[in-house]
Amino acid sequence: MLQNIRDNSRGWIAKTIIGLIVMLMAFTGFEAIVTGTSNRNNAADVNGDTITLDELNQAVEMQRRQLLQQLGRDFDASLLDDRLLREASLKGLIERKLLLQAAGDARFAFSQASLDQVILQTPEFQVDGRFDAARFDQVIRQMGYTRLQFRQMLEEEMLIGQLRAGIGASSFVTEQQARAFANLERQTRDFASLTIKADPAAIELSEADVQAYYAEHASEFMSPEQVVLEYVELHKESFFDQVEVSDEELQPLYESEIANLAEQRQAAHILIEGDDEAARSKIEEIKARVDAGEDFAALAKEFSQDPGSAADGGDLGYAGPGVYDPAFEEALYALQQDQVSEPVKSEFGWHLIKLLGVQAPEVPSFDSLKDKLARDFKTQQVELRFVEATKQLEDAAFEASDLAQPAQELNLEVKTSEPFGREGGATGITANRQVLQAAFSPEVLEDGTNSSTIELDPSTFVVVRVKEHKKPEQLPLDQVAESIRAHLQQERAAAAAKAEGEKQLAAAENGESVSDWQVQEAATRSQDGVEPKVLQALFRMPKPAKAGEPSFAGVTLNNGDYVVLRLDGVNVPEEALAEEELAMYRNFLASRAGQQDFAALRQQLETKADIERF
């Protein structure tokens, strides 16, 4: 057959077809190949600016970490849907990119010097009220940033904040609008209510009623579909006892640990912003006064243009290498105790730098670090073994027809779960979302195969297989009769209460006498002791046309009770608004309008943008 194909491919018809295919590929296929290759590492394109997969992955991980912190350590991380997290993270990155583009178009900017001040004055980066470089590194490392990445993220946040503040600050409301809103907010209402109780106990049902409901809603009374699982668990902790470590293996780790210790220097500086001759002359004048014996701290308070340190005599606190501008740092580390540098130029302006103190690193002994080093060494080795074992479990489960062989190879125990349905169990692996998805997948449920490895948490993997599949069955009437009876009684009691209530409402609207009104005067929009649904209906009722002619309405409560409402009057506060109150209302309404304007801007940016997701 292959020879026939080869022979026929030499004919003119075949050559024509091949030529057409080549032409089509030239116009479409090649472009698709190039585009697909070039966008392999990108998640989206926003008006020509790309969002990389690395950015998306980092955003997903950060969102996951924030959610877990908010939900608490007892929350099952497997309940977080990765697909939804990625969609939400990508949406957030696209919105962020659009806002940054808008800020750039509006010529917003944030200087590096201002960025430094934000970092230095952030309480989370301080120890005893002063910026601490080690603390700064620790915090941003926990957030998943390098120093450069954090500065870039912070600068972007500041730019977006400027845009938001600019839009928000441009919103305003008139005094008349504020007064009208305040009058509505402070309005009270005089009303009376008549409650017709829903009484399920008073409803009589026959067996025929229950049977008829059961027959009509038979599909609602099915036993839940359930499965029983067999599973094996692989725990990272089980590998720790298998790893041994000697002092010789720990020695290189110790040397590396102490090599990272760095000297800390306490610097003070006087900053004159600008790179022109005037700034240089000014800093040289101050240097001459320092050389003449004047106090450096006093001159810093008087002349320094660094608002974050000037009040403290220019004191920047202790910091290690890599914190300051390279030129600044080079000059600082060339100084002796209490020595003042010559003028130093950086991207922020001209500096005079004084060395206030030096903290030599404390070098811990090998014995003091031995336990930590051993733990770190074992953790690395265990991680490697755990990854290998996880891959081995994955391969063994794929190749085996049951879990006996994988369990034997990795010395694991085959366990059995309690029966559970598609909604999952209360605790254990049956409450894990990924386990649920695997258990009820066609491959595991219908084909009877082992699942792939499932990560319950970073240190635990499982493989599951269905041991027993219990399909839904019709529940007998005697098992559900009581629930049907309770439902019908509540439903009919609510209907009876509504019928009686509407009868009373019609009588009241026709001017007939209705007794047992419960009167309440001057009720506010958040009145204590009044059902929220009643208040909602009350403040939606039209104002009575004139005194003595109330308006009426009715509302059904969640428990089936029916409430007839009589609105007797609407009260507008007579006392004038104080200037402080009026200002508060204006600020509130302007802020709300600003938020709405900013939301409208985001919507407009997205509508007009050229966005492509890969």
Side-chain angles (χ1 to χ4, degrees), residues 164 167-168 171 173 588-604:
R164 181 184 288 107
I167 298 294
S171 298
V173 294
F588 167 74
L589 292 174
S591 174
R592 188 172 68 175
Q595 293 172 4
Q596 293 170 344
D597 290 343
F598 188 69
L601 171 66
R602 290 187 302 184
Q603 181 63 41
Q604 182 186 48

Side-chain angles (χ1 to χ4, degrees), residues 112-113 116-117 119-120 130-134 136-137 147 151 263-269 306 309 314-333 335 344-348 351 353-357:
Q112 292 300 309
D116 287 336
Q117 292 309 311
I119 293 173
L120 290 172
R130 292 186 180 277
F131 175 79
D132 184 89
F136 171 68
D137 288 334
R147 286 187 177 185
R151 288 181 68 88
E263 177 184 272
Q264 300 282 309
R265 292 201 160 202
Q266 184 182 10
H269 80 140
D306 177 5
S309 67
D315 190 354
L316 296 173
Y318 279 97
V323 173
Y324 300 118
D325 178 271
F328 187 105
E329 185 170 293
E330 182 180 356
L332 173 62
Y333 276 83
L335 296 175
V344 177
K345 184 181 179 183
S346 76
E347 61 177 301
F348 310 118
H351 307 260
I353 307 167
K354 182 177 182 179
L355 178 59
L356 301 180

